[in-house]
Amino acid sequence: MTPEVVLVGTGNLASHVARRLKECGVALVQVFGRDPEKTKRFCAPLQIPWTSHWEAIRQDADLYMLCVSDQAIPVVASLLGKQLKEGAFAVHTSGATSIEVLAPFFERRGV
């Protein structure tokens, strides 16, 4: 079974991650971005559903990948954690930020 992934972020790293996930056959089921126009442009070539509204983030993904700046990780984790069901699995992509930044919001977490 292919895991379903929601990607949070539309920056340079997120674009590389999104392309690679698609190439590997991972089901990238949604992208969240703050800027609707940028998010739409980001998702169009890869044909990925998107949203710019926290309350519209899919609740049933297997993994939530936070591809945001180091400074944004705590804020994004907090907002995302409030939207998702208990037991959601979230990871961030920072090499400089501890996994523990996700601990208050996600029991299942990774880097």
Side-chain angles (χ1 to χ4, degrees):
M1 183 170 149
T2 302
E4 293 187 341
V5 176
V6 170
L7 187 68
V8 179
T10 57
N12 188 44
L13 176 63
S15 69
H16 291 286
V17 169
R19 277 192 233 108
R20 191 67 184 130
L21 289 174
K22 292 284 278 190
E23 289 170 4
C24 291
V26 173
L28 190 50
V29 296
Q30 189 179 47
V31 170
F32 170 86
R34 293 176 298 168
D35 180 330
E37 287 304 313
K38 181 177 180 182
T39 308
K40 183 178 179 179
R41 285 192 310 271
F42 178 97
C43 292
L46 297 172
Q47 300 178 328
I48 305 167
W50 63 274
T51 186
S52 59
H53 302 286
W54 287 111
E55 63 276 3
I57 289 180
R58 287 188 51 161
Q59 298 289 309
D60 59 346
D62 298 303
L63 178 65
Y64 296 84
M65 292 187 72
L66 282 63
C67 294
V68 299
S69 70
D70 293 358
Q71 301 90 326
I73 293 170
V75 174
V76 170
S78 172
L79 291 167
L80 189 60
K82 292 174 185 173
Q83 293 299 319
L84 300 177
K85 298 176 189 171
E86 189 173 331
F89 182 26
V91 299
H92 71 69
T93 55
S94 170
T97 304
S98 169
I99 190 174
E100 295 309 313
V101 73
L102 300 176
F105 316 107
F106 297 97
E107 185 176 312
R108 299 174 56 215
R109 57 193 178 272
V111 175

XYZ file of all heavy atoms in Angstrom:
852
model
N 0.848 -1.181 0.000
C 0.000 0.000 0.000
C 0.894 1.245 0.000
O 1.841 1.346 0.768
C -0.904 -0.016 1.228
C -1.852 1.125 1.276
S -3.053 0.835 2.594
C -3.365 2.495 3.055
N 0.586 2.183 -0.832
C 1.358 3.414 -0.943
C 0.920 4.400 0.135
O -0.266 4.680 0.273
C 1.143 4.054 -2.325
O 1.519 3.117 -3.325
C 1.971 5.299 -2.484
N 1.882 4.938 0.890
C 1.495 5.930 1.910
C 0.987 7.213 1.268
O 1.463 7.616 0.205
C 2.796 6.177 2.681
C 3.883 5.736 1.777
C 3.320 4.691 0.874
N 0.026 7.827 1.917
C -0.516 9.105 1.455
C 0.118 10.224 2.270
O 0.112 10.183 3.501
C -2.034 9.124 1.589
C -2.690 8.147 0.643
C -4.203 8.265 0.620
O -4.789 8.831 1.564
O -4.802 7.785 -0.355
N 0.659 11.216 1.558
C 1.433 12.273 2.192
C 0.806 13.631 1.897
O 0.414 13.912 0.760
C 2.887 12.254 1.680
C 3.686 13.405 2.257
C 3.554 10.925 2.005
N 0.753 14.475 2.930
C 0.410 15.885 2.779
C 1.696 16.666 3.003
O 2.388 16.459 4.001
C -0.678 16.331 3.780
C -0.831 17.850 3.776
C -2.002 15.657 3.460
N 2.009 17.536 2.063
C 3.205 18.365 2.140
C 2.802 19.769 2.567
O 1.871 20.348 2.004
C 3.872 18.406 0.769
C 5.217 19.080 0.655
C 6.276 18.286 1.398
C 5.600 19.211 -0.804
N 3.475 20.303 3.577
C 3.205 21.648 4.061
C 4.394 22.522 3.677
O 5.502 22.314 4.177
C 2.974 21.673 5.581
C 2.713 23.092 6.057
C 1.816 20.752 5.962
N 4.165 23.457 2.774
C 5.216 24.349 2.304
C 5.303 24.351 0.793
O 4.957 23.355 0.144
N 5.762 25.471 0.258
C 5.863 25.602 -1.198
C 7.191 26.233 -1.620
O 7.294 26.789 -2.707
C 4.698 26.451 -1.753
O 4.712 27.729 -1.115
C 3.361 25.768 -1.548
N 8.181 26.133 -0.781
C 9.484 26.710 -1.093
C 10.350 25.774 -1.921
O 9.887 24.761 -2.464
N 11.629 26.122 -1.996
C 12.577 25.371 -2.812
C 12.679 23.909 -2.380
O 12.586 22.999 -3.208
C 13.951 26.051 -2.760
C 14.923 25.448 -3.725
O 14.586 25.175 -4.868
N 16.142 25.238 -3.267
N 12.884 23.666 -1.095
C 12.979 22.282 -0.620
C 11.692 21.526 -0.905
O 11.720 20.389 -1.390
C 13.301 22.227 0.873
C 13.331 20.810 1.465
C 14.430 19.970 0.833
C 13.481 20.867 2.963
N 10.561 22.134 -0.625
C 9.270 21.482 -0.852
C 9.106 21.085 -2.313
O 8.577 20.007 -2.610
C 8.127 22.397 -0.421
N 9.565 21.926 -3.244
C 9.420 21.588 -4.662
C 10.247 20.362 -5.024
O 9.785 19.489 -5.766
C 9.774 22.780 -5.558
O 11.153 23.059 -5.492
N 11.457 20.258 -4.479
C 12.290 19.078 -4.742
C 11.690 17.827 -4.104
O 11.669 16.756 -4.718
C 13.711 19.308 -4.239
C 14.458 20.321 -5.033
N 14.951 20.076 -6.295
C 14.782 21.606 -4.759
C 15.556 21.147 -6.759
N 15.456 22.099 -5.841
N 11.211 17.962 -2.878
C 10.591 16.834 -2.182
C 9.346 16.372 -2.940
O 9.156 15.172 -3.156
C 10.241 17.205 -0.719
C 9.354 16.146 -0.070
C 11.519 17.403 0.092
N 8.516 17.291 -3.360
C 7.283 16.940 -4.073
C 7.593 16.177 -5.358
O 6.988 15.129 -5.631
C 6.472 18.198 -4.386
N 8.540 16.695 -6.140
C 8.896 16.016 -7.392
C 9.430 14.612 -7.127
O 9.057 13.655 -7.807
C 9.922 16.831 -8.177
C 9.276 17.905 -9.005
C 10.264 18.512 -9.995
N 10.230 19.946 -9.779
C 11.180 20.670 -9.203
N 12.297 20.133 -8.827
N 11.025 21.959 -9.044
N 10.284 14.497 -6.142
C 10.884 13.187 -5.852
C 9.849 12.200 -5.323
O 9.864 11.018 -5.699
C 12.024 13.347 -4.849
C 12.832 12.116 -4.699
C 13.610 11.810 -5.981
N 14.307 10.548 -5.799
C 14.275 9.543 -6.648
N 13.642 9.654 -7.795
N 14.905 8.434 -6.393
N 8.961 12.647 -4.468
C 7.905 11.765 -3.979
C 7.054 11.242 -5.127
O 6.745 10.042 -5.192
C 7.025 12.482 -2.954
C 7.654 12.772 -1.594
C 6.708 13.616 -0.740
C 8.038 11.495 -0.867
N 6.692 12.138 -6.038
C 5.891 11.731 -7.204
C 6.657 10.726 -8.062
O 6.095 9.723 -8.501
C 5.490 12.945 -8.035
C 4.512 13.891 -7.364
C 3.103 13.363 -7.357
C 2.447 13.635 -8.682
N 1.014 13.358 -8.677
N 7.946 10.990 -8.299
C 8.773 10.075 -9.091
C 8.855 8.691 -8.467
O 8.945 7.685 -9.174
C 10.186 10.634 -9.248
C 10.281 11.835 -10.160
C 11.649 12.516 -10.095
O 12.555 12.007 -9.389
O 11.805 13.567 -10.738
N 8.848 8.649 -7.152
C 8.952 7.374 -6.421
C 7.613 6.671 -6.257
O 7.542 5.599 -5.659
C 9.584 7.613 -5.053
S 11.320 8.065 -5.155
N 6.550 7.279 -6.735
C 5.244 6.653 -6.664
C 4.509 6.862 -5.352
O 3.491 6.213 -5.095
N 5.009 7.771 -4.516
C 4.315 8.083 -3.269
C 3.076 8.915 -3.596
O 3.120 9.789 -4.459
C 5.246 8.850 -2.304
C 4.495 9.331 -1.076
C 6.420 7.976 -1.913
N 1.991 8.644 -2.922
C 0.747 9.375 -3.163
C 0.797 10.716 -2.435
O 0.528 10.796 -1.238
C -0.445 8.561 -2.698
N 1.165 11.752 -3.156
C 1.168 13.109 -2.601
C -0.252 13.632 -2.778
O -0.649 14.048 -3.856
C 2.193 13.972 -3.329
C 2.500 15.336 -2.756
C 2.816 15.272 -1.277
C 3.666 15.961 -3.506
N -1.027 13.570 -1.706
C -2.471 13.794 -1.804
C -2.885 15.247 -1.621
O -4.006 15.618 -1.959
C -3.253 12.893 -0.824
C -3.066 11.422 -1.190
C -2.844 13.150 0.617
N -1.968 16.091 -1.087
C -2.320 17.495 -0.907
C -1.075 18.292 -0.537
O -0.161 17.773 0.100
C -3.360 17.650 0.201
C -3.953 19.038 0.325
C -4.992 19.102 1.428
O -4.784 18.620 2.535
N -6.136 19.687 1.112
N -1.084 19.554 -0.956
C -0.068 20.510 -0.538
C -0.782 21.670 0.134
O -1.810 22.147 -0.353
C 0.763 21.026 -1.737
C 1.647 22.190 -1.333
C 1.598 19.903 -2.327
N -0.226 22.116 1.270
C -0.718 23.316 1.922
C 0.318 24.413 1.721
O 1.512 24.201 1.924
C -0.920 23.123 3.431
C -1.203 24.422 4.130
C -2.499 24.913 4.202
C -0.175 25.190 4.657
C -2.762 26.136 4.809
C -0.419 26.414 5.265
C -1.715 26.886 5.336
N -0.165 25.591 1.326
C 0.681 26.774 1.232
C -0.099 27.993 1.670
O -1.315 28.066 1.454
N 0.588 28.964 2.254
C -0.092 30.170 2.756
C -0.637 31.031 1.630
O -1.693 31.634 1.753
C 0.872 31.021 3.577
C 1.315 30.414 4.859
C 2.323 31.286 5.545
N 3.505 31.408 4.681
C 4.490 32.262 4.846
N 4.455 33.108 5.848
N 5.513 32.303 4.045
N 0.105 31.134 0.544
C -0.250 32.008 -0.574
C -0.987 31.193 -1.638
O -0.392 30.334 -2.287
C 1.026 32.612 -1.156
C 0.789 33.534 -2.319
O -0.194 33.353 -3.070
O 1.612 34.441 -2.510
N -2.283 31.448 -1.842
C -3.057 30.643 -2.789
C -2.485 30.638 -4.207
O -2.430 29.583 -4.846
C -4.452 31.276 -2.769
C -4.522 32.030 -1.498
C -3.127 32.447 -1.166
N -2.058 31.775 -4.703
C -1.533 31.831 -6.078
C -0.237 31.038 -6.203
O -0.050 30.285 -7.163
C -1.335 33.274 -6.529
C -2.641 33.997 -6.814
C -3.500 33.268 -7.846
O -2.975 32.851 -8.896
O -4.710 33.104 -7.590
N 0.664 31.206 -5.256
C 1.930 30.471 -5.280
C 1.676 28.971 -5.143
O 2.297 28.158 -5.832
C 2.858 30.957 -4.165
C 4.194 30.263 -4.156
C 5.125 30.810 -3.087
C 6.462 30.075 -3.134
N 7.384 30.537 -2.100
N 0.762 28.604 -4.264
C 0.456 27.192 -4.050
C -0.157 26.578 -5.302
O 0.193 25.462 -5.691
C -0.469 27.017 -2.832
O 0.112 27.692 -1.715
C -0.667 25.558 -2.491
N -1.023 27.306 -5.952
C -1.641 26.820 -7.196
C -0.577 26.595 -8.274
O -0.564 25.562 -8.943
C -2.686 27.829 -7.672
C -3.439 27.415 -8.897
C -4.477 28.461 -9.250
C -5.248 28.083 -10.491
N -6.268 29.094 -10.827
N 0.338 27.562 -8.430
C 1.431 27.426 -9.414
C 2.351 26.262 -9.054
O 2.844 25.550 -9.927
C 2.245 28.713 -9.498
C 1.568 29.833 -10.238
C 2.521 30.993 -10.539
N 3.276 31.464 -9.387
C 2.861 32.400 -8.544
N 1.677 32.973 -8.716
N 3.619 32.781 -7.531
N 2.602 26.080 -7.781
C 3.448 24.995 -7.290
C 2.845 23.628 -7.651
O 3.550 22.722 -8.086
C 3.589 25.142 -5.773
C 4.399 24.081 -5.085
C 5.733 24.296 -4.792
C 3.829 22.881 -4.683
C 6.490 23.337 -4.126
C 4.567 21.912 -4.028
C 5.905 22.144 -3.754
N 1.542 23.498 -7.471
C 0.872 22.206 -7.612
C 0.450 21.864 -9.038
O 0.352 20.677 -9.383
C -0.352 22.160 -6.706
S 0.093 22.154 -4.958
N 0.217 22.858 -9.862
C -0.316 22.613 -11.200
C 0.530 21.650 -12.041
O -0.014 20.688 -12.604
C -0.532 23.934 -11.933
N 1.842 21.849 -12.155
C 2.623 20.944 -13.011
C 2.626 19.489 -12.535
O 2.753 18.573 -13.341
C 4.048 21.512 -12.949
C 3.944 22.857 -12.363
C 2.675 22.906 -11.585
N 2.482 19.289 -11.250
C 2.503 17.934 -10.684
C 1.098 17.373 -10.477
O 0.942 16.241 -10.023
C 3.265 17.933 -9.359
C 4.742 18.303 -9.461
C 5.354 18.473 -8.077
C 5.506 17.253 -10.249
N 0.104 18.181 -10.769
C -1.300 17.778 -10.617
C -1.593 17.263 -9.202
O -2.112 16.174 -9.001
C -1.684 16.742 -11.670
C -1.525 17.269 -13.083
C -1.855 16.236 -14.126
O -1.649 15.044 -13.932
N -2.368 16.698 -15.257
N -1.261 18.108 -8.237
C -1.481 17.775 -6.830
C -2.595 18.668 -6.283
O -2.558 19.882 -6.482
C -0.203 18.032 -6.001
C 0.990 17.278 -6.586
C -0.430 17.644 -4.546
C 2.318 17.736 -6.010
N -3.564 18.109 -5.589
C -4.571 18.948 -4.929
C -3.892 19.850 -3.893
O -2.877 19.482 -3.308
C -5.488 17.940 -4.239
C -5.247 16.641 -4.935
C -3.820 16.678 -5.398
N -4.478 21.009 -3.671
C -3.852 21.962 -2.753
C -4.898 22.728 -1.966
O -6.075 22.750 -2.324
C -2.956 22.935 -3.523
C -3.700 23.792 -4.508
C -4.015 23.462 -5.800
C -4.244 25.088 -4.281
N -4.715 24.489 -6.383
C -4.867 25.495 -5.482
C -4.256 25.949 -3.189
C -5.503 26.727 -5.606
C -4.889 27.169 -3.322
C -5.500 27.547 -4.520
N -4.424 23.365 -0.905
C -5.264 24.268 -0.122
C -4.387 25.337 0.516
O -3.191 25.137 0.701
C -6.057 23.523 0.980
O -6.944 24.446 1.606
C -5.154 22.903 2.025
N -5.004 26.441 0.811
C -4.327 27.491 1.581
C -5.102 27.783 2.867
O -4.914 28.815 3.487
C -4.162 28.755 0.736
O -5.417 29.218 0.309
N -5.958 26.845 3.252
C -6.782 26.980 4.458
C -6.486 25.822 5.406
O -6.639 24.652 5.033
C -8.271 26.982 4.100
C -8.655 28.067 3.156
N -8.757 29.384 3.541
C -8.922 28.036 1.832
C -9.095 30.124 2.497
N -9.193 29.333 1.446
N -6.073 26.148 6.624
C -5.750 25.110 7.608
C -6.903 24.127 7.792
O -6.684 22.925 7.905
C -5.388 25.734 8.958
C -4.052 26.380 8.960
C -3.782 27.711 9.038
C -2.779 25.735 8.870
N -2.420 27.937 8.989
C -1.786 26.729 8.892
C -2.380 24.397 8.780
C -0.426 26.447 8.831
C -1.021 24.112 8.721
C -0.073 25.129 8.744
N -8.126 24.645 7.853
C -9.270 23.774 8.128
C -9.586 22.824 6.978
O -10.361 21.886 7.146
C -10.507 24.592 8.505
C -11.013 25.499 7.414
C -10.307 26.854 7.322
O -9.359 27.118 8.082
O -10.704 27.646 6.457
N -8.967 23.028 5.815
C -9.220 22.160 4.660
C -8.136 21.098 4.466
O -8.175 20.332 3.504
C -9.346 23.005 3.393
N -7.186 21.033 5.372
C -6.143 20.012 5.260
C -6.752 18.633 5.478
O -7.552 18.432 6.395
C -5.003 20.270 6.264
C -4.218 21.503 5.822
C -4.079 19.059 6.378
C -3.073 21.875 6.719
N -6.372 17.712 4.618
C -6.893 16.345 4.715
C -6.571 15.742 6.073
O -5.480 15.904 6.598
C -6.308 15.474 3.610
C -6.918 15.818 2.269
C -6.520 14.868 1.211
N -6.726 13.472 1.595
C -6.788 12.483 0.711
N -6.662 12.749 -0.566
N -6.948 11.246 1.100
N -7.516 15.018 6.592
C -7.392 14.407 7.918
C -6.905 12.958 7.854
O -6.571 12.382 8.892
C -8.751 14.432 8.622
C -9.292 15.813 8.859
C -8.512 16.530 9.933
O -8.301 16.006 11.016
N -8.064 17.728 9.631
N -6.862 12.388 6.669
C -6.646 10.944 6.556
C -5.295 10.552 5.976
O -5.076 9.395 5.630
C -7.755 10.328 5.705
C -7.825 10.930 4.300
O -7.218 11.990 4.057
O -8.505 10.340 3.444
N -4.358 11.486 5.879
C -3.039 11.150 5.325
C -2.251 10.295 6.315
O -2.477 10.336 7.526
C -2.272 12.419 4.983
N -1.310 9.549 5.769
C -0.434 8.728 6.606
C 0.710 9.538 7.193
O 1.248 9.190 8.240
C 0.140 7.575 5.777
C -0.940 6.659 5.252
O -1.716 6.132 6.077
O -1.020 6.482 4.022
N 1.087 10.616 6.493
C 2.235 11.406 6.905
C 2.035 12.863 6.516
O 1.554 13.156 5.417
C 3.504 10.877 6.222
C 4.808 11.617 6.496
C 5.207 11.487 7.965
C 5.912 11.077 5.595
N 2.449 13.755 7.393
C 2.417 15.196 7.149
C 3.859 15.687 7.199
O 4.515 15.576 8.233
C 1.549 15.900 8.200
C 0.114 15.454 8.109
C -0.315 14.293 8.738
C -0.805 16.164 7.338
C -1.617 13.845 8.619
C -2.112 15.719 7.213
C -2.511 14.557 7.851
O -3.805 14.117 7.718
N 4.356 16.179 6.059
C 5.743 16.637 5.959
C 5.795 18.155 6.012
O 5.240 18.823 5.129
C 6.377 16.165 4.654
C 6.580 14.682 4.568
S 7.509 14.218 3.081
C 9.133 14.797 3.531
N 6.479 18.684 7.003
C 6.620 20.132 7.146
C 7.915 20.570 6.464
O 9.006 20.339 6.980
C 6.660 20.532 8.624
C 5.329 20.559 9.371
C 4.692 19.193 9.449
C 5.539 21.132 10.742
N 7.790 21.149 5.297
C 8.929 21.673 4.532
C 8.863 23.194 4.602
O 8.560 23.868 3.605
C 8.882 21.188 3.087
S 9.114 19.423 2.895
N 9.105 23.707 5.786
C 9.020 25.146 6.038
C 10.324 25.597 6.696
O 11.147 24.770 7.101
C 7.803 25.486 6.932
C 6.495 25.072 6.243
C 7.909 24.817 8.298
N 10.498 26.894 6.833
C 11.711 27.412 7.457
C 11.818 26.937 8.904
O 10.810 26.623 9.550
C 11.727 28.941 7.414
O 10.751 29.464 8.292
N 13.038 26.906 9.404
C 13.259 26.488 10.792
C 12.427 27.307 11.772
O 11.852 26.764 12.712
C 14.747 26.616 11.164
C 15.628 25.642 10.411
O 15.102 24.822 9.625
O 16.848 25.700 10.608
N 12.365 28.610 11.530
C 11.632 29.497 12.434
C 10.127 29.223 12.401
O 9.430 29.463 13.378
C 11.864 30.967 12.066
C 13.298 31.397 12.114
C 14.011 31.203 10.778
O 13.742 30.277 10.024
N 14.944 32.087 10.490
N 9.624 28.724 11.272
C 8.185 28.498 11.125
C 7.732 27.155 11.695
O 6.538 26.960 11.931
C 7.781 28.599 9.655
N 8.647 26.244 11.927
C 8.253 24.892 12.345
C 7.364 24.892 13.589
O 6.298 24.259 13.571
C 9.482 23.974 12.529
C 10.141 23.715 11.180
C 9.083 22.652 13.183
C 11.488 23.019 11.265
N 7.713 25.580 14.691
C 6.834 25.529 15.867
C 5.433 26.076 15.606
O 4.441 25.494 16.057
C 7.559 26.388 16.914
C 8.968 26.469 16.459
C 8.931 26.350 14.962
N 5.340 27.155 14.864
C 4.039 27.759 14.566
C 3.219 26.836 13.676
O 2.032 26.574 13.937
C 4.206 29.142 13.898
C 2.872 29.704 13.457
C 4.902 30.101 14.848
N 3.845 26.318 12.622
C 3.143 25.423 11.697
C 2.730 24.141 12.418
O 1.601 23.663 12.243
C 4.026 25.125 10.465
C 3.428 24.025 9.614
C 4.218 26.396 9.640
N 3.614 23.586 13.237
C 3.274 22.366 13.982
C 2.085 22.597 14.908
O 1.193 21.753 15.007
C 4.487 21.886 14.780
N 2.046 23.746 15.546
C 0.936 24.075 16.435
C -0.376 24.174 15.660
O -1.388 23.580 16.049
C 1.217 25.391 17.152
O 0.086 25.808 17.877
N -0.359 24.914 14.555
C -1.572 25.076 13.745
C -2.026 23.740 13.162
O -3.219 23.419 13.176
C -1.335 26.092 12.631
C -1.158 27.535 13.099
C -0.614 28.403 11.971
C -2.467 28.094 13.624
N -1.081 22.976 12.664
C -1.419 21.683 12.073
C -1.928 20.714 13.136
O -2.919 20.012 12.929
C -0.181 21.111 11.369
C -0.374 19.869 10.519
C -1.365 20.123 9.391
C 0.969 19.418 9.950
N -1.251 20.705 14.278
C -1.664 19.813 15.361
C -3.081 20.059 15.831
O -3.781 19.132 16.222
N -3.521 21.311 15.781
C -4.898 21.646 16.181
C -5.927 21.146 15.175
O -7.095 20.963 15.519
C -5.042 23.153 16.345
C -4.273 23.703 17.520
C -4.339 25.216 17.557
C -3.454 25.758 18.671
N -3.348 27.216 18.638
N -5.506 20.952 13.921
C -6.434 20.560 12.859
C -6.576 19.053 12.698
O -7.584 18.580 12.197
C -5.977 21.146 11.515
C -6.060 22.632 11.433
C -7.474 23.147 11.615
O -8.431 22.569 11.102
N -7.629 24.217 12.350
N -5.542 18.318 13.109
C -5.516 16.889 12.815
C -5.996 16.036 13.979
O -5.963 16.448 15.126
C -4.088 16.471 12.433
C -3.510 17.184 11.220
C -2.080 16.741 10.992
C -4.360 16.942 9.986
N -6.387 14.830 13.622
C -6.828 13.874 14.628
C -5.639 13.404 15.454
O -4.495 13.394 14.983
C -7.447 12.658 13.939
C -8.671 12.961 13.128
C -9.131 11.712 12.413
C -10.221 12.036 11.418
N -10.538 10.902 10.560
N -5.923 12.991 16.673
C -4.885 12.420 17.519
C -4.282 11.206 16.818
O -4.981 10.426 16.181
C -5.485 11.997 18.861
C -4.449 11.594 19.866
C -5.054 11.337 21.238
O -6.072 11.947 21.561
O -4.471 10.517 21.964
N -2.979 11.076 16.904
C -2.296 9.951 16.265
C -1.706 10.285 14.910
O -1.068 9.434 14.292
N -1.908 11.513 14.428
C -1.317 11.907 13.141
C 0.203 11.843 13.252
O 0.781 12.076 14.311
C -1.764 13.316 12.770
N 0.865 11.533 12.145
C 2.316 11.397 12.096
C 2.876 12.574 11.309
O 2.541 12.776 10.145
C 2.664 10.071 11.422
C 4.136 9.760 11.347
C 5.056 10.278 12.241
C 4.602 8.899 10.371
C 6.402 9.965 12.170
C 5.945 8.579 10.281
C 6.845 9.106 11.177
N 3.738 13.375 11.951
C 4.310 14.559 11.317
C 5.833 14.519 11.398
O 6.394 14.065 12.399
C 3.792 15.835 11.978
N 6.465 15.004 10.343
C 7.926 15.133 10.321
C 8.270 16.525 9.816
O 7.495 17.143 9.083
C 8.595 14.071 9.424
C 8.297 12.671 9.926
C 8.195 14.223 7.965
N 9.450 17.004 10.208
C 9.953 18.236 9.613
C 11.260 17.924 8.912
O 11.860 16.860 9.118
C 10.071 19.373 10.635
C 11.159 19.229 11.640
N 12.492 19.316 11.321
C 11.116 19.013 12.980
C 13.230 19.179 12.400
N 12.412 18.982 13.440
N 11.709 18.826 8.059
C 12.856 18.559 7.192
C 14.087 19.375 7.567
O 15.035 19.450 6.791
C 12.480 18.848 5.727
O 11.978 20.181 5.628
C 11.421 17.869 5.233
N 14.102 19.953 8.730
C 15.229 20.779 9.155
C 16.335 19.928 9.763
O 16.074 19.054 10.589
C 14.760 21.802 10.203
O 15.873 22.447 10.775
N 17.559 20.231 9.376
C 18.694 19.565 9.989
C 19.168 20.265 11.243
O 19.992 19.746 11.992
N 18.663 21.460 11.479
C 19.126 22.268 12.611
C 18.113 22.357 13.748
O 18.399 22.956 14.771
C 19.451 23.682 12.121
N 16.943 21.754 13.566
C 15.876 21.861 14.553
C 15.582 20.484 15.144
O 15.416 19.515 14.409
C 14.591 22.441 13.910
O 14.912 23.696 13.320
C 13.492 22.625 14.923
N 15.494 20.420 16.435
C 15.259 19.156 17.138
C 13.875 18.582 16.823
O 12.914 19.318 16.581
C 15.364 19.403 18.650
O 14.895 18.285 19.363
N 13.799 17.285 16.892
C 12.514 16.590 16.759
C 11.554 17.024 17.862
O 10.332 17.005 17.690
C 12.727 15.060 16.785
C 11.451 14.320 16.415
C 13.255 14.607 18.134
C 11.633 12.816 16.291
N 12.107 17.442 18.989
C 11.280 17.791 20.140
C 10.381 19.002 19.903
O 9.419 19.195 20.634
C 12.140 17.986 21.377
C 12.824 16.705 21.829
C 11.863 15.521 21.968
O 10.776 15.677 22.571
O 12.210 14.435 21.469
N 10.672 19.797 18.890
C 9.799 20.931 18.587
C 8.395 20.448 18.200
O 7.419 21.168 18.368
C 10.425 21.837 17.489
C 10.360 21.176 16.122
C 9.764 23.194 17.447
N 8.301 19.205 17.730
C 7.001 18.631 17.350
C 6.290 17.951 18.527
O 5.090 17.687 18.454
C 7.182 17.612 16.220
C 7.781 18.128 14.922
C 7.997 16.975 13.944
C 6.910 19.205 14.304
N 7.030 17.666 19.591
C 6.497 16.875 20.709
C 5.214 17.419 21.335
O 4.321 16.631 21.668
C 7.571 16.698 21.783
N 5.061 18.731 21.517
C 3.808 19.203 22.134
C 2.559 18.967 21.272
O 1.444 19.029 21.781
C 4.040 20.708 22.304
C 5.509 20.901 22.231
C 6.016 19.823 21.332
N 2.770 18.676 19.984
C 1.635 18.615 19.063
C 1.420 17.244 18.437
O 0.327 16.938 17.979
C 1.823 19.652 17.951
C 2.285 20.979 18.473
C 3.588 21.400 18.279
C 1.426 21.786 19.202
C 4.034 22.612 18.778
C 1.859 23.001 19.710
C 3.164 23.417 19.503
N 2.486 16.422 18.397
C 2.407 15.127 17.724
C 3.108 14.053 18.549
O 4.299 14.168 18.825
C 3.061 15.180 16.335
C 2.366 16.132 15.400
C 2.851 17.420 15.239
C 1.234 15.744 14.716
C 2.214 18.320 14.392
C 0.586 16.633 13.876
C 1.069 17.922 13.710
N 2.363 13.020 18.903
C 2.974 11.902 19.590
C 3.857 11.117 18.617
O 4.931 10.655 18.973
C 1.866 10.994 20.143
C 2.388 9.849 20.976
C 1.262 9.044 21.590
O 0.344 9.648 22.177
O 1.303 7.813 21.471
N 3.384 10.997 17.394
C 4.149 10.336 16.328
C 4.834 11.424 15.510
O 4.175 12.215 14.852
C 3.212 9.490 15.461
C 2.526 8.389 16.257
C 1.498 7.644 15.435
N 2.091 7.089 14.233
C 1.444 7.000 13.074
N 0.197 7.423 12.956
N 2.038 6.493 12.023
N 6.169 11.438 15.547
C 6.913 12.533 14.918
C 8.268 12.043 14.438
O 8.766 11.004 14.890
C 7.078 13.687 15.886
C 7.768 13.298 17.174
C 7.635 14.376 18.241
N 8.260 13.980 19.492
C 7.672 13.295 20.453
N 6.398 12.918 20.303
N 8.317 12.989 21.554
N 8.858 12.817 13.542
C 10.171 12.464 13.032
C 10.831 13.638 12.355
O 10.237 14.710 12.194
N 12.080 13.413 11.934
C 12.860 14.424 11.196
C 13.393 13.758 9.949
O 13.824 12.640 9.970
C 14.037 14.956 12.040
C 14.888 15.911 11.221
C 13.524 15.626 13.290
